[in-house]
Amino acid sequence: MSTLRFHAIKESLTNKPVLVEEKERRSDLFGKNVFNENTMRQYLTKDAFVGVMNAVQFGKKIDRNIADQVSSSMKDWALSKGVTHYTHWFQPLTGTTAEKHDAFFETIGNGMAVEKFGGSQLVQQEPDASSFPNGGIRNTFEARGYTAWDPTSPAFIYGTTLCIPTIFVAYTGEALDYKTPLLRALNAVDNAATDVCKYFDKNVKKVSSSLGWEQEYFLIDKVLAATRPDITLTGRTLLGHSSAKGQQLDDHYFGSIPNRALNFMRELETECMLLGIPVKTRHNEVAPNQFELAPIFEEANLAVDHNSLLMDIMGRVASRHNFKVLFHEKPFAGINGSGKHNNWSLSTDTGVNLLAPGKTPMSNLQFLTFFINTIKAVHENEELLRACIASASNDHRLGANEAPPAIISVFIGQQLTKVLEELEGVTKGKLSPEEKTELKLNVVGKIPDVLLDNTDRNRTSPFAFTGNKFEFRAVGSLANCGNPMTVLNTIVAKQLIDFKKEVDLLIEKKGLKKDEAVFNVLREYIKSTKAILFEGNGYGKEWEIEAEKRGLSNNKSTPEALRAKISKKSIALFEDMNVMSKVESQARYEIEMEAYIMHIQIESRVLGDIARNHIVPTAVKYQNILIENVKGLKEIFEDTYKTVSKEQINLIKEISSHIEGINANVTEMTNTRRKANTIEDVEEKALAYCYQVKPLFDDIRKHCDKLELLVDDEIWPLTKYRELLFTR
């Protein structure tokens, strides 16, 4: 018997739901551990409160005196809650969060000490930047990096630590995190969208980008996961035969949530409430032991912070419930993977969602302006949008049977397609009174009624309009939302700037009225963006052939997709919008390419180890049992033993062929990997890993999975799919 596997199964079956008590209403818990506006009103002086709110709402700089007041009040609040340490909490380009804890404690001589936390400690810290990804921005001996307070994202208490959300930059000023470019992109889209909004409402002073993410994940029994070196080291199963029962009966989706998982969710949601993360929806997803969590929409910067924080919290809470959370986009072959749909919209400080149709022709013209400009932005930058969701893990999901393809397209539904078709027919130039009336009353004016029944949702579309927002479905579950949100807000900002220039030119040079100028520009955009609109099924060769005819890119792998990040067009875009410098763009490209190489390299080494040190010895062990059986049959039946032992002999031969296949492919994979490691150019190296090393994974897995069906279950060393997916 395989001791570790069966002991783990036995232990997992004894795990009971962990008791969770919910004594307070969620509305009472919400934000208790956050230094939010309500808390600031209680602890800050009037001047300090106004200073922080001006920074949050209008981006004004906080002077040193205000920072000292804020830090003192923040410290008093934290100490009242039993906090002992503080940290600058940031999001380096590792894909996880980072923190260095310092105690409030300071000695003052004569054996005495005080709790100290000043403005300088709040505003800026100097963590060691030497071990974070930098893409060549800094030399190894230049270890200095700076974290700087982001007042737009409130400080929070986690455990006994005061966490202060910050940006992270190099000694020379370049961004080394996800937050810095995101804040710049949000500023860019705010300015650009506000200028366009003034066509429709002069009172608009600010436009905010909102984000509502949907976090999908798997919950696997912690003890069972620990028996799988591949799950432990790579976050996914590198081998394993599919379970006879998977998701084919559709009996997990929206089903009754298992008790252990439900109690995990209840504790997780309590933690989220305390930290001001407005989680609202929970449910079973399609695959066994797959679930989803979704919050109420928030301002994009805060939403990105909350998602990063949530992923950390989920791991800790899951451990207390004897679970391991898997965020990998495709932890199990043959069943659905996990995404993180990014629901994005733009809203004004006057309370208007710019992607929600209104009740008047004027408000609908505003809606169409932002709706069509977003489509135009995606059309012009589809390769860059594909690049921002590229990763070694998401490559497994994109193009799989349940996920969007790697080809970026936009789904808007039949009703809105008809609206665009009617707008396309608008006369170029000045409109006659009859045309203007027809357009406003019968086309633009009726959009709210049209959208009431716009419930058709194409789940295979990577970028879909869903009523009052666009849903970027191609984002992977493991991703930091800051990356796609930076790109999306940047391309929309650039597009809105271009749109305003074109409209103003028609008004000034052609003498058109504002509405006529807007209609004329939108009309041309509709004509030029038809290629990106797609209502059908995104799977298979037919769509690939059609997409190629339309001129859409089909970058199936991460190394191919990431090239778009350093194209002249992309670099110019980010520089023009003051989001990233050329150096910062190139650094991110290098970092993401290196990350891709490292992920495939680690998986390759783990797979080789499991195949040779776990699977092959087990197969040989079972083969020896069969050989002994054949020998015994020979002693008993002598001349006729070959007939009697025919099946055993065939099984011995079949096992030998799979052992040979494993060893040959592992040897080839190792040699190919070593050869790839000698390549200096990062793109060539990544392509070698993608197209020479990685394909061998499938050959090795095929032989291992066949052996799983042949070898005695009692001695098979790895926990099987049926045990991982159906232990509840």
Side-chain angles (χ1 to χ4, degrees):
M1 179 180 284
S2 176
T3 305
L4 181 60
R5 174 185 161 213
F6 282 99
H7 278 213
I9 293 170
K10 184 178 180 181
E11 184 176 338
S12 70
L13 293 175
T14 64
N15 284 331
K16 303 295 181 185
V18 175
L19 182 65
V20 176
E21 294 186 13
E22 295 177 285
K23 296 181 179 179
E24 296 183 64
R25 290 183 178 183
R26 298 199 169 189
S27 56
D28 294 331
L29 286 175
F30 189 71
K32 265 193 171 182
N33 289 345
V34 182
F35 199 67
N36 52 25
E37 183 176 338
N38 184 50
T39 306
M40 286 192 289
R41 287 184 185 278
Q42 298 176 47
Y43 280 86
L44 295 182
T45 63
K46 183 178 179 181
D47 287 346
F49 178 77
V50 170
V52 173
M53 294 311 294
N54 281 337
V56 172
Q57 294 173 359
F58 307 112
K60 292 185 178 180
K61 189 174 182 179
I62 296 177
D63 65 38
R64 179 55 189 268
N65 290 333
I66 295 297
D68 285 335
Q69 292 180 49
V70 174
S71 63
S72 177
S73 299
M74 203 179 277
K75 178 197 69 178
D76 292 342
W77 170 71
L79 291 175
S80 73
K81 288 181 166 289
V83 169
T84 59
H85 289 70
Y86 66 90
T87 182
H88 274 201
W89 181 83
F90 58 103
Q91 298 167 52
L93 298 172
T94 56
T96 58
T97 58
E99 52 197 65
K100 181 186 75 170
H101 296 198
D102 285 302
F104 288 127
F105 172 84
E106 293 281 351
T107 57
I108 57 175
N110 298 321
M112 294 186 292
V114 294
E115 272 75 29
K116 183 179 178 182
F117 181 58
S120 59
Q121 294 164 308
L122 167 66
V123 172
Q124 182 175 303
Q125 291 284 289
E126 193 177 312
D128 184 351
S130 61
S131 294
F132 290 112
N134 63 80
I137 285 178
R138 42 159 299 285
N139 295 312
T140 305
F141 59 83
E142 294 171 329
R144 191 180 300 173
Y146 295 108
T147 51
W149 176 35
D150 170 21
T152 64
S153 185
F156 57 90
I157 293 169
Y158 192 58
T160 58
T161 304
L162 172 67
C163 301
I164 302 155
T166 60
I167 64 169
F168 180 46
V169 297
Y171 174 66
T172 46
E174 290 89 0
L176 291 174
D177 66 344
Y178 288 108
K179 181 183 275 280
T180 305
L182 175 63
L183 290 173
R184 295 169 183 166
L186 295 176
N187 183 62
V189 82
D190 173 16
N191 293 333
T194 299
D195 285 346
V196 172
C197 279
K198 290 188 183 298
Y199 284 141
F200 310 98
D201 183 356
K202 299 288 185 184
N203 296 317
V204 174
K205 296 178 181 177
K206 182 179 177 60
V207 172
S208 299
S209 170
S210 62
L211 167 65
W213 38 262
E214 302 169 25
Q215 182 68 62
E216 294 177 343
Y217 61 97
F218 281 84
L219 279 181
I220 304 302
D221 189 278
K222 183 168 68 173
V223 183
L224 296 182
T227 68
R228 296 283 308 225
D230 47 0
I231 292 178
T232 302
L233 298 176
T234 73
R236 75 178 182 107
T237 55
L238 296 172
L239 47 83
H241 199 280
S242 60
S243 171
K245 182 181 184 295
Q247 64 186 48
Q248 61 267 52
L249 297 179
D250 298 322
D251 54 344
H252 188 64
Y253 190 55
F254 277 24
S256 176
I257 301 173
N259 286 336
R260 281 182 64 195
L262 184 60
N263 279 16
F264 155 77
M265 292 174 182
R266 291 171 63 198
E267 183 176 352
L268 172 65
E269 289 165 5
T270 297
E271 294 271 7
C272 287
M273 289 297 109
L274 291 169
L275 293 166
I277 305 174
V279 294
K280 185 174 177 67
T281 303
R282 66 190 184 200
H283 64 81
N284 289 3
E285 257 301 332
V286 175
N289 277 351
Q290 186 187 31
F291 306 94
E292 182 180 295
L293 173 73
I296 297 169
F297 280 58
E298 297 181 284
E299 186 276 326
N301 178 45
L302 183 57
V304 169
D305 280 359
H306 278 166
N307 182 252
S308 297
L309 177 59
L310 172 94
M311 292 172 76
D312 181 38
I313 297 169
M314 286 177 77
R316 301 186 192 198
V317 174
S319 185
R320 296 199 288 268
H321 288 256
N322 298 305
F323 282 125
K324 182 176 180 64
V325 179
L326 301 184
F327 291 116
H328 194 287
E329 283 81 358
K330 199 75 171 176
F332 301 98
I335 61 173
N336 280 18
S338 298
K340 177 151 47 194
H341 299 174
N342 278 208
N343 295 278
W344 170 89
S345 190
L346 295 171
S347 301
T348 68
D349 58 344
T350 58
V352 175
N353 178 350
L354 295 172
L355 288 174
K359 296 181 179 179
T360 66
M362 181 56 75
S363 60
N364 280 336
L365 181 56
Q366 178 175 262
F367 157 70
L368 285 170
T369 295
F370 285 91
F371 175 70
I372 295 170
N373 270 283
T374 301
I375 295 171
K376 174 75 168 170
V378 174
H379 178 266
E380 297 301 312
N381 299 277
E382 46 96 6
E383 281 201 274
L384 182 58
L385 211 57
R386 164 68 179 97
C388 77
I389 46 93
S391 69
S393 53
N394 207 23
D395 277 359
H396 292 282
R397 169 176 166 263
L398 296 179
N401 63 334
E402 85 289 351
I407 303 166
I408 299 296
S409 64
V410 179
F411 171 85
I412 63 172
Q414 293 180 356
Q415 294 91 338
L416 279 172
T417 298
K418 290 178 181 177
V419 172
L420 296 195
E421 287 172 352
E422 292 195 48
L423 284 175
E424 188 182 346
V426 174
T427 302
K428 189 172 184 181
K430 292 189 177 183
L431 301 174
S432 68
E434 293 78 11
E435 285 178 313
K436 190 174 286 190
T437 301
E438 172 73 15
L439 191 63
K440 287 191 172 182
L441 293 182
N442 296 328
V443 180
V444 180
K446 289 188 175 179
I447 290 176
D449 296 328
V450 167
L451 289 189
L452 285 176
D453 296 319
N454 187 21
T455 56
D456 50 336
R457 296 186 64 195
N458 186 335
R459 294 189 174 275
T460 67
S461 174
F463 198 85
F465 184 71
T466 54
N468 59 0
K469 62 189 181 297
F470 278 100
E471 187 175 357
F472 193 7
R473 295 192 182 121
V475 182
S477 53
L478 199 56
N480 183 301
C481 296
N483 202 357
M485 283 297 103
T486 296
V487 170
L488 182 55
N489 284 288
T490 301
I491 65 175
V492 171
K494 176 65 167 63
Q495 178 53 46
L496 291 172
I497 290 171
D498 292 344
F499 169 77
K500 188 171 189 303
K501 287 178 182 177
E502 291 186 57
V503 171
D504 288 347
L505 190 64
L506 289 178
I507 294 171
E508 294 166 12
K509 301 291 185 182
K510 301 284 186 179
L512 297 184
K513 292 185 180 296
K514 178 190 65 181
D515 288 5
E516 292 172 332
V518 168
F519 277 127
N520 272 266
V521 176
L522 293 181
R523 170 181 177 269
E524 296 306 312
Y525 286 177
I526 292 168
K527 288 181 177 180
S528 65
T529 58
K530 286 184 177 180
I532 203 74
L533 299 177
F534 180 62
E535 305 295 305
N537 191 324
Y539 302 139
K541 278 290 180 186
E542 286 186 15
W543 169 228
E544 291 186 20
I545 294 169
E546 173 63 22
E548 187 177 0
K549 289 179 183 177
R550 296 183 182 202
L552 301 178
S553 64
N554 184 12
N555 295 319
K556 295 183 179 180
S557 71
T558 291
E560 292 171 309
L562 289 178
R563 290 172 184 154
K565 288 203 166 187
I566 53 168
S567 68
K568 289 182 180 179
K569 179 181 176 182
S570 295
I571 289 173
L573 166 71
F574 287 122
E575 286 189 320
D576 290 347
M577 303 307 298
N578 295 314
V579 171
M580 283 190 287
S581 67
K582 182 177 180 180
V583 170
E584 288 171 324
S585 291
Q586 290 175 327
R588 275 164 168 70
Y589 169 78
E590 293 279 340
I591 290 166
E592 290 176 36
M593 278 292 204
E594 287 288 352
Y596 177 85
I597 292 166
M598 291 299 107
H599 276 101
I600 305 300
Q601 185 184 86
I602 290 168
E603 288 188 349
S604 172
R605 294 176 67 181
V606 171
L607 179 58
D609 171 52
I610 295 175
R612 278 194 167 151
N613 294 329
H614 293 71
I615 305 304
V616 169
T618 302
V620 170
K621 185 176 181 179
Y622 183 58
Q623 197 177 43
N624 287 337
I625 293 172
L626 293 173
I627 291 170
E628 289 301 314
N629 177 260
V630 171
K631 287 180 178 178
L633 291 173
K634 184 177 181 180
E635 288 180 11
I636 296 171
F637 295 101
E638 296 181 349
D639 295 340
T640 61
Y641 88 93
K642 287 185 179 181
T643 302
V644 178
S645 62
K646 178 183 176 182
E647 294 302 323
Q648 290 90 324
I649 293 171
N650 287 339
L651 191 53
I652 291 168
K653 290 178 181 178
E654 191 175 353
I655 290 172
S656 290
S657 71
H658 290 306
I659 291 172
E660 181 185 1
I662 290 171
N663 282 325
N665 281 294
V666 169
T667 298
E668 185 181 352
M669 179 180 69
T670 304
N671 292 335
T672 305
R673 188 176 69 230
R674 286 171 179 164
K675 186 178 178 181
N677 288 339
T678 64
I679 301 172
E680 293 187 7
D681 181 82
V682 70
E683 182 178 332
E684 287 184 28
K685 189 174 184 179
L687 288 169
Y689 264 94
C690 182
Y691 292 112
Q692 296 173 31
V693 177
K694 189 180 168 187
L696 292 165
F697 290 13
D698 293 335
D699 295 328
I700 296 167
R701 178 173 192 153
K702 178 184 70 176
H703 290 294
C704 291
D705 289 357
K706 289 292 185 182
L707 285 173
E708 183 180 328
L709 295 179
L710 299 176
V711 172
D712 184 358
D713 182 66
E714 288 286 309
I715 63 172
W716 190 254
L718 301 178
T719 305
K720 297 185 176 183
Y721 268 33
R722 65 171 184 260
E723 295 149 0
L724 291 167
L725 292 171
F726 289 96
T727 300
R728 305 276 170 87

